[in-house]
Amino acid sequence: MSGLILHEYAPSGNCYKIRLIAAHLGIPLERRGYDILRGETRTPAFLSEVSANGRIPVLQAGDDYLPESGAACVYLAYGSALIPHDRFDHADMLRWMFWEQYNHEPNIATLRFWRAFIGEANLSEAQRAALPAKEAAGHDALALMDAHLARTDWFAAGRFTLADIALYAYTHVAGEGGFDLSRYPAVEAWLARVAALPRHVAMGA
Amino acid sequence: MSGLILHEYAPSGNCYKIRLIAAHLGIPLERRGYDILRGETRTPAFLSEVSANGRIPVLQAGDDYLPESGAACVYLAYGSALIPHDRFDHADMLRWMFWEQYNHEPNIATLRFWRAFIGEANLSEAQRAALPAKEAAGHDALALMDAHLARTDWFAAGRFTLADIALYAYTHVAGEGGFDLSRYPAVEAWLARVAALPRHVAMGA
């Protein structure tokens, strides 16, 4: 595969997922950065050329554009060992990827963004009102992961898959959102297992 | 495929997606209902036996349980014409399914649930504070769908796929959340196309 361009904001965990898959599979990616704090993904040019949804990441393959990190992950890893072929295992991998986007990212990634990037003093009234619920839901998500990982080394199919990559991205920086990971020992052990894999790259790489 | 059990709350769009796929593919489903308004998915029995996440739908295949509607959709339709095989088309279908769960469902389905099931008078302070943002984001989602459907009859791969089913479920009842669909003529035409397909079943069926 050649000619792949990742439209990204480097500190975003959703973008990091795609770089991590590319590293594991040895796929070269050209990277184009946008500063989301300056609204660079909401310009008319970005909205008309890259994605009408105004969000990163977007994976560009030739003239085709793929928004949504989960879709870009599957595109990149299609046919590789990172995606199980067994019908149940395949769906179970997707189950964790959907769960990450619904139950994990809107709480853990959002609190990281609000606290470490925007700053708590700059939040709107509605954002401030949402803090307690997002904190509780983030801890619920980490507790659910911890209970799962107390029984198995990887999220799906008994081996390292896209599900682990999708969940690693924002979990390993959950501390930046105010989450104390030492409360979740099985999660900490799994984070160490992922980071110790041969082709692993750090978020800042 | 036999022995499939859908753990559901019938008025939930996420559960309807699975019944709609089963109808299109002629797959029999046993249905088990839980009243989420009475907390029936948060009981110790549900949490330990069906899903630790305390949400429906969960698709049970023998002794295996699949939470997350998107994962259950892919499991059910695996290898069928509802899932494109082409690498890009396959990812593009998932793109719309992930987008639905992130940008559409938390706004359009949540406002329907708050207004038509819980009742606006019974909302918490934090829920009330979130109303304007969810209303705006819901309209953004419908406008994005409308612009896409002005150019193409189906969401992905140029034909009816899981992406259409995932988006149909809550879009066709968006009015119950206070969204006026007559503002989105291409969406209304697409809803009619989906409902006219031979094996279509209604949400209340």
Side-chain angles (χ1 to χ4, degrees):
Chain A
M1 217 168 5
S2 66
L4 292 176
I5 301 170
L6 175 61
H7 299 269
E8 68 164 356
Y9 173 61
S12 150
N14 284 327
C15 299
Y16 172 48
K17 294 170 190 174
I18 297 167
R19 299 198 304 275
L20 193 45
I21 293 167
H24 276 286
L25 299 176
I27 297 171
L29 279 184
E30 182 184 329
R31 297 167 62 176
R32 288 208 195 141
Y34 302 82
D35 188 343
I36 58 174
L37 295 168
R38 293 178 176 216
E40 290 180 1
T41 63
R42 309 283 163 142
T43 64
F46 187 94
L47 295 173
S48 68
E49 286 161 32
V50 183
S51 170
N53 203 32
R55 291 171 180 268
I56 43 78
V58 175
L59 184 64
Q60 183 184 347
D63 293 334
D64 291 325
Y65 293 81
L66 257 187
E68 297 301 319
S69 60
C73 288
V74 169
Y75 180 83
L76 214 51
Y78 206 64
S80 81
L82 293 176
I83 301 181
H85 290 289
D86 173 80
R87 182 182 197 145
F88 181 81
D89 289 345
H90 181 95
D92 201 38
M93 174 200 77
L94 288 174
R95 164 253 182 129
W96 288 107
M97 294 172 73
F98 278 108
W99 180 82
E100 191 267 346
Q101 288 286 287
Y102 197 90
N103 286 78
H104 185 291
E105 202 259 21
N107 302 303
I108 293 171
T110 297
L111 285 194
R112 170 181 177 250
F113 189 67
W114 288 359
R115 287 179 166 148
F117 293 76
I118 294 182
E120 219 164 317
N122 304 314
L123 296 182
S124 70
E125 278 304 306
Q127 286 171 328
R128 216 178 299 280
L131 278 175
K134 284 189 182 287
E135 204 153 88
H139 277 295
D140 285 349
L142 291 167
L144 191 147
M145 290 171 67
D146 204 56
H148 186 72
L149 291 166
R151 295 189 305 267
T152 174
D153 278 359
W154 308 104
F155 275 94
R159 59 184 171 87
F160 180 67
T161 70
L162 295 188
D164 300 287
I165 290 175
L167 281 161
Y168 181 84
Y170 284 112
T171 303
H172 88 294
V173 289
E176 297 177 17
F179 295 96
D180 176 9
L181 288 178
S182 71
R183 290 167 57 180
Y184 307 102
V187 169
E188 286 199 313
W190 163 79
L191 290 173
R193 276 194 297 281
V194 173
L197 291 172
R199 289 164 171 264
H200 184 78
V201 290
M203 196 174 206
Chain B
M1 214 166 7
S2 67
L4 291 177
I5 301 170
L6 174 62
H7 299 269
E8 68 165 356
Y9 173 60
S12 151
N14 284 327
C15 299
Y16 173 47
K17 294 170 191 175
I18 297 167
R19 298 198 304 274
L20 193 44
I21 293 166
H24 276 285
L25 299 176
I27 298 171
L29 279 184
E30 181 184 329
R31 297 167 62 175
R32 287 206 195 143
Y34 302 82
D35 188 344
I36 58 174
L37 294 168
R38 292 177 178 220
E40 290 180 2
T41 63
R42 310 283 164 141
T43 63
F46 187 94
L47 295 173
S48 69
E49 285 161 32
V50 183
S51 170
N53 202 34
R55 290 169 180 271
I56 43 77
V58 175
L59 185 64
Q60 182 184 348
D63 292 333
D64 291 324
Y65 292 83
L66 256 187
E68 297 303 318
S69 61
C73 288
V74 169
Y75 180 82
L76 214 51
Y78 206 63
S80 82
L82 292 176
I83 300 182
H85 290 291
D86 173 79
R87 182 182 196 145
F88 181 81
D89 288 344
H90 182 95
D92 201 37
M93 174 201 77
L94 288 173
R95 165 253 183 129
W96 287 107
M97 294 172 73
F98 278 108
W99 180 82
E100 191 266 347
Q101 287 287 286
Y102 197 91
N103 286 79
H104 186 290
E105 201 260 22
N107 303 303
I108 293 170
T110 297
L111 285 195
R112 169 181 178 251
F113 189 67
W114 289 359
R115 286 180 167 149
F117 293 76
I118 294 182
E120 219 164 318
N122 304 315
L123 297 182
S124 70
E125 279 302 306
Q127 287 171 328
R128 217 177 299 279
L131 278 174
K134 285 192 182 288
E135 203 153 270
H139 277 294
D140 285 349
L142 292 167
L144 191 146
M145 291 170 68
D146 204 56
H148 186 71
L149 291 167
R151 296 188 306 267
T152 175
D153 277 0
W154 308 104
F155 275 95
R159 59 185 171 85
F160 180 66
T161 71
L162 295 188
D164 300 287
I165 290 175
L167 281 161
Y168 181 84
Y170 285 112
T171 303
H172 89 292
V173 289
E176 297 177 17
F179 294 95
D180 176 8
L181 287 177
S182 71
R183 290 167 58 179
Y184 308 102
V187 168
E188 286 198 314
W190 163 79
L191 290 173
R193 274 194 298 280
V194 173
L197 290 172
R199 289 165 172 262
H200 185 79
V201 290
M203 196 175 207

